[in-house]
Amino acid sequence: STPLYSSAASDVYKRQIAETATLHFGAMQPTVGSVCTMNDAGLVSGDCDVSNANIAIGLITVSGLASNVPVNVTVTGASGTNVTFEANYDINSAVATHDNIADGTLTAVTTDASGTDLTIDVYGDMTVDSALSPGDSYTANYIVDVTFQ
C-alpha cells in the first residue's frame, strides 16, 4: 500500500487526517472489568454515567482526497493507563455503506463522486484494566490508518 500522500512531478499533495471531535465516554465505574459501551449514535450504556455532559462520539476527517479514489481505512483501539479502548467505526462520504466496522478491520472504500472529505465516526468499548481513582481522567488512544489501494 502507498502512504497517504502522493507526489507527481514537482507537486506534492499532502492529505490530512484530523480529529474534528474528541471521543469522550464521560464518567465510568472505577472497578477492574467495568465496561462502558458507546453506540454509533453516541449513546453510552454499561458501567458508565449516561447523564455525563462530556459524552461525545469521535469524528475524524480525512481531507484532500479526490473523487472516486480507492483507499484502505483501518481504525484500531489501544491501551492507555488503566483502560483499553476497542473501536468500532463508520466511514462516511464513500461509495456504499460502511457501518459498525470492528476494531482493526482493514476496509477498502472509494471516495464518492462529490470529492467531499471522508469522515469516520469512532465509538466502541472502554474497559477498566486496573482500578481508577475517582475524579481522575484516563485516556486510551486509537490509530486511524488511511492508505491508497
Side-chain angles (χ1 to χ4, degrees), residues 10 20 27 63 77 87 92-93 106 112 116 120 122 125 127 130-131 143 147:
S10 61
T20 48
S63 58
N92 309 301
S93 301
L106 185 142
D112 67 16
T116 305
I120 304 168
V122 182
D125 297 330
T127 302
S130 48
I143 297 167
T147 56

Side-chain angles (χ1 to χ4, degrees), residues 131-145:
L132 307 179
S133 297
D136 285 354
S137 294
Y138 296 89
T139 303
N141 294 321
Y142 57 89
I143 297 167
V144 175
D145 182 53

Side-chain angles (χ1 to χ4, degrees), residues 90-105:
D90 303 339
I91 302 169
N92 309 301
S93 301
V95 175
T97 301
H98 304 280
D99 289 343
N100 201 22
I101 303 164
D103 188 273
T105 303

Side-chain angles (χ1 to χ4, degrees), residues 15-74:
R15 312 307 182 221
Q16 295 193 1
I17 301 174
E19 184 177 50
T20 48
T22 302
L23 173 65
H24 200 300
F25 279 86
M28 61 185 296
Q29 294 298 315
T31 53
V32 173
S34 294
V35 178
C36 183
T37 298
M38 180 181 293
N39 69 14
D40 61 351
L43 301 175
V44 294
S45 61
D47 299 319
C48 39
D49 177 359
V50 300
S51 66
N52 189 286
N54 294 316
I55 296 168
I57 202 164
L59 179 64
I60 303 297
T61 301
V62 183
S63 58
L65 295 171
S67 301
N68 303 308
V69 173
V71 294
N72 293 319
V73 177
T74 308

Side-chain angles (χ1 to χ4, degrees), residues 108-127:
V109 301
T110 300
T111 60
D112 67 16
S114 71
T116 305
D117 296 342
L118 274 184
T119 59
I120 304 168
D121 300 327
V122 182
Y123 49 98
D125 297 330
M126 185 74 80
T127 302

